[in-house]
Amino acid sequence: MLSINLNIDEKFESLKDGMDYSYLINGNWEKSSSGKTIPIRNPYNKEIIAQIQACTREEVDNCIKIARDSMECWVETPLSKRIEILRKSARLMREMAEPLGNILMQEIGKPIKSAISEIMRTADIFEGTADFATSIGGETIMGDAFEGTARDKLSITYRVPLGVILCIGPFNYPFNLTGSKIAPALVAGNTVIMKPPSFGAITPLHFGIFLEEAGVPPGVFNIITGRGSEIGDYLTGHSGINMVAFTGSSETGIHLSKVAGMKPLLLELGGKDAAIVLDDADLEITVNSIISGAFSFSGQRCTAVKRVLPMPGIADKLIERVVEETKNLSIGDPAENNTIGPLITSKQCDYVQGLIDDALQKGATLKCGNRREGNIMWPTVLDHVTTEMRVAWEEPFGPVLPFIRIQNAEQAIKISNESMYGLQGMIFTENIDLAFNIAQELEVGTVQINGKSSRGPDHFPFLGTKSSGLGTQGIKCSIESMSRPKVVVMNLTEKGKLIRECGVYEK
Ligand code: G3H
């Protein structure tokens, strides 16, 4: 167990033994009995920067047992104390944002400024969750609102935790999208098992330090590491887990939903967000939104702009300006804060290249890009993409932007809705009435009018339809998803009844 006399910098160091990081069970950082570790490589230079424990199923069982045994203590901890713990954790994250951002940059190749802001944004989510939690309440309903029932029956509804929540984050926001699950889970009174992604595992291990320092008792927050392919299904299907909150690919999410059985699920999955650009759109707002939406973190975001559907009156000038700005994007080392850096694996680069090759073979026009060095893919813009091409439908998770020229709004709605995904949509126009009407037709969780698709601000509801997800995130919605109503019905008897003069409505 870590000594409480160490300061937080020293605690960061004590998480590891040389390059080997431990997992966390009941407040203790341990090595797996498997004796096996998983190497973590910097995707930019491919160097091994750390190793994580490949935990066994027996260790999963132990972790879940500890989390279950800790439920009673945590649910008895006053909400005000849980709130205070989130606030303290947020302060610690802010203090350590730079060194932690540096680790994040190395393990996933995120530009350093974005890596640091991912840590700060997570601190904001913890703080925002603490703020919202102060107003978690319930309701009382009198029976006489329903025909045939009187005021001698009333329900008192409040919220209770679900039990043990399994939080699995993705490689692209391994700290933030795990933290956005941990904070609501803990504040609602659940205990947590965190399973970090294998790519991006190191940064979220530090939640163990922050939460312990902030006062979370041992056993309430535990971390299991290992390959999803080896322990993912076992964890998800385990009878000791009461809910699974997962962010990752649609393929994995759909698979987990089959393994999970009757457990409640919160799934944030893939997307193929389309930007519909009408003739009267403000060109500069549209170009800026498309560039930052498509190419931030090299397109490795579920909410990235993944296709553009421009009307004939604006298509040529829009594509020209987008290509001009794309060519200006800086490319290279994430430590130098270049916009375009490495993709997470060379396998992912191969996949993106396959989409580009398919489009070019089928007649798309290459406007820029289509170059690769190591894991870096140059930002690629494709014009004259048709619905016969894979890139019109598949999610690249890389810097490739297809333009599918459209003739009218109806065609744009059709192409948008034919996707298997339904995360977000965008409409760029000055005609707000028309935008509102198109928005109502789009089968997505959120429609952005004159702005890029994105999850934040983090207190907004965030959800996907179809293969893009299940359940709703966002600070308030996540707390609600991670708790359930408990209803107590009072049945009052004649004994305490007050005698009333007025009997007009008596039966
Ligand atoms: O990758 C999925 C994330 O939820 C996207 O978040 O819109 O803040 O980049 P973001």
Side-chain angles (χ1 to χ4, degrees):
M1 181 130 167
L2 296 168
S3 153
I4 49 164
N5 295 323
L6 293 176
N7 69 30
I8 198 150
D9 287 291
E10 288 167 323
K11 283 196 172 189
F12 266 34
E13 281 305 307
S14 64
L15 251 185
K16 56 181 177 171
D17 172 13
M19 274 201 175
D20 282 7
Y21 279 82
S22 305
Y23 75 99
L24 178 66
I25 175 167
N26 206 18
N28 298 314
W29 292 95
E30 306 273 5
K31 295 278 166 55
S32 170
S33 61
S34 72
K36 291 187 200 153
T37 53
I38 301 168
I40 307 292
R41 279 177 200 279
N42 177 329
Y44 178 62
N45 56 24
K46 315 251 178 98
E47 280 168 17
I48 295 182
I49 53 165
Q51 328 223 71
I52 53 165
Q53 302 301 306
C55 291
T56 63
R57 288 183 172 197
E58 199 187 345
E59 284 156 352
V60 168
D61 289 338
N62 292 341
C63 230
I64 293 175
K65 182 176 178 324
I66 293 293
R68 295 208 75 76
D69 291 349
S70 308
M71 274 162 45
E72 199 176 315
C73 135
W74 188 236
V75 80
E76 289 303 317
T77 303
L79 177 59
S80 58
K81 176 73 184 160
R82 288 185 241 139
I83 288 173
E84 186 192 311
I85 286 174
L86 290 196
R87 293 200 199 285
K88 186 157 182 214
S89 308
R91 281 199 296 278
L92 294 171
M93 283 174 216
R94 288 191 184 109
E95 256 172 53
M96 300 306 285
E98 235 176 279
L100 201 53
N102 200 47
I103 297 174
L104 181 60
M105 181 266 294
Q106 289 180 56
E107 66 174 338
I108 62 165
K110 186 169 269 193
I112 183 66
K113 273 194 191 155
S114 308
I116 294 171
S117 77
E118 173 168 344
I119 312 297
M120 297 300 271
R121 180 177 177 185
T122 313
D124 292 345
I125 289 181
F126 269 60
E127 198 82 52
T129 306
D131 290 343
F132 180 78
T134 55
S135 62
I136 296 175
E139 63 173 355
T140 303
I141 306 174
M142 301 301 292
D144 63 341
F146 202 79
E147 184 63 36
T149 315
R151 289 171 73 86
D152 56 4
K153 202 182 256 300
L154 67 144
S155 72
I156 301 164
T157 307
Y158 54 99
R159 298 198 79 83
V160 293
L162 299 177
V164 179
I165 300 196
L166 172 62
C167 300
I168 310 179
F171 84 82
N172 64 340
Y173 280 95
F175 193 74
N176 183 267
L177 276 170
T178 318
S180 68
K181 297 169 178 50
I182 295 168
L186 289 178
V187 90
N190 303 282
T191 61
V192 169
I193 308 273
M194 179 188 98
K195 153 77 180 75
S198 297
F199 300 103
I202 309 302
T203 318
L205 290 180
H206 294 77
F207 279 118
I209 307 269
F210 294 134
L211 292 167
E212 184 214 27
E213 275 283 300
V216 170
V220 169
F221 177 73
N222 306 279
I223 305 173
I224 274 284
T225 56
R227 287 194 199 284
S229 55
E230 279 162 27
I231 55 168
D233 284 5
Y234 188 67
L235 270 163
T236 305
H238 202 292
S239 59
I241 296 286
N242 298 99
M243 180 195 186
V244 181
F246 167 82
T247 300
S249 72
S250 294
E251 192 188 350
T252 310
I254 291 166
H255 171 76
L256 291 183
S257 72
K258 291 175 185 149
V259 178
M262 289 281 285
K263 294 181 183 77
L265 296 172
L266 192 52
L267 301 178
E268 179 195 345
L269 309 176
K272 189 69 187 171
D273 299 357
I276 300 171
V277 186
L278 305 186
D279 285 338
D280 67 345
D282 180 305
L283 193 61
E284 286 317 296
I285 288 176
T286 311
V287 170
N288 292 339
S289 304
I290 289 174
I291 292 291
S292 122
F295 297 124
S296 311
F297 192 32
S298 306
Q300 297 176 107
R301 296 165 51 243
C302 60
T303 49
V305 178
K306 292 187 179 129
R307 40 192 187 154
V308 183
L309 313 180
M311 289 278 278
I314 197 165
D316 287 340
K317 52 184 184 244
L318 175 67
I319 294 166
E320 188 188 325
R321 286 282 295 115
V322 166
V323 170
E324 196 179 308
E325 292 300 326
T326 305
K327 285 180 176 167
N328 285 335
L329 294 172
S330 60
I331 301 167
D333 192 347
E336 288 163 8
N337 212 40
N338 290 296
T339 305
I340 303 292
L343 297 192
I344 195 71
T345 58
S346 54
K347 193 173 160 207
Q348 189 59 28
C349 297
D350 296 342
Y351 178 71
V352 174
Q353 189 63 56
L355 293 180
I356 297 170
D357 292 346
D358 173 79
L360 295 179
Q361 273 158 22
K362 290 176 182 159
T365 312
L366 177 68
K367 302 297 288 186
C368 62
N370 194 21
R371 177 176 158 199
R372 175 179 173 179
E373 267 174 38
N375 279 2
I376 296 190
M377 307 279 302
W378 261 243
T380 301
V381 177
L382 298 167
D383 192 5
H384 302 295
V385 168
T386 67
T387 52
E388 275 66 53
M389 299 172 190
R390 286 172 55 205
V391 76
W393 308 110
E394 294 180 35
E395 182 183 32
F397 238 66
V400 52
L401 183 63
F403 279 78
I404 308 172
R405 293 169 180 249
I406 46 149
Q407 296 308 314
N408 50 50
E410 288 70 24
Q411 192 191 1
I413 294 166
K414 185 169 181 292
I415 294 173
S416 296
N417 287 348
E418 273 172 4
S419 170
M420 67 181 266
Y421 298 105
L423 193 56
Q424 300 208 346
M426 290 148 275
I427 305 159
F428 292 91
T429 176
E430 306 267 278
N431 185 340
I432 297 304
D433 301 270
L434 178 56
F436 190 76
N437 287 326
I438 296 174
Q440 294 190 76
E441 298 296 319
L442 296 178
E443 296 162 3
V444 294
T446 304
V447 180
Q448 306 272 352
I449 295 175
N450 293 324
K452 67 175 180 179
S453 44
S454 74
R455 169 168 46 114
D458 291 306
H459 62 307
F460 283 8
F462 180 53
L463 68 154
T465 65
K466 302 189 269 187
S467 294
S468 287
L470 207 59
T472 306
Q473 296 183 90
I475 287 173
K476 176 173 180 277
C477 298
S478 294
I479 297 176
E480 285 169 358
S481 304
M482 293 181 172
S483 58
R484 65 178 168 84
K486 175 72 184 271
V487 186
V488 177
V489 177
M490 297 291 294
N491 289 280
L492 304 177
T493 63
E494 287 292 312
K495 267 192 286 180
K497 195 165 186 185
L498 295 173
I499 313 286
R500 294 195 186 278
E501 294 289 309
C502 170
V504 179
Y505 295 110
E506 276 177 10
K507 285 185 182 164

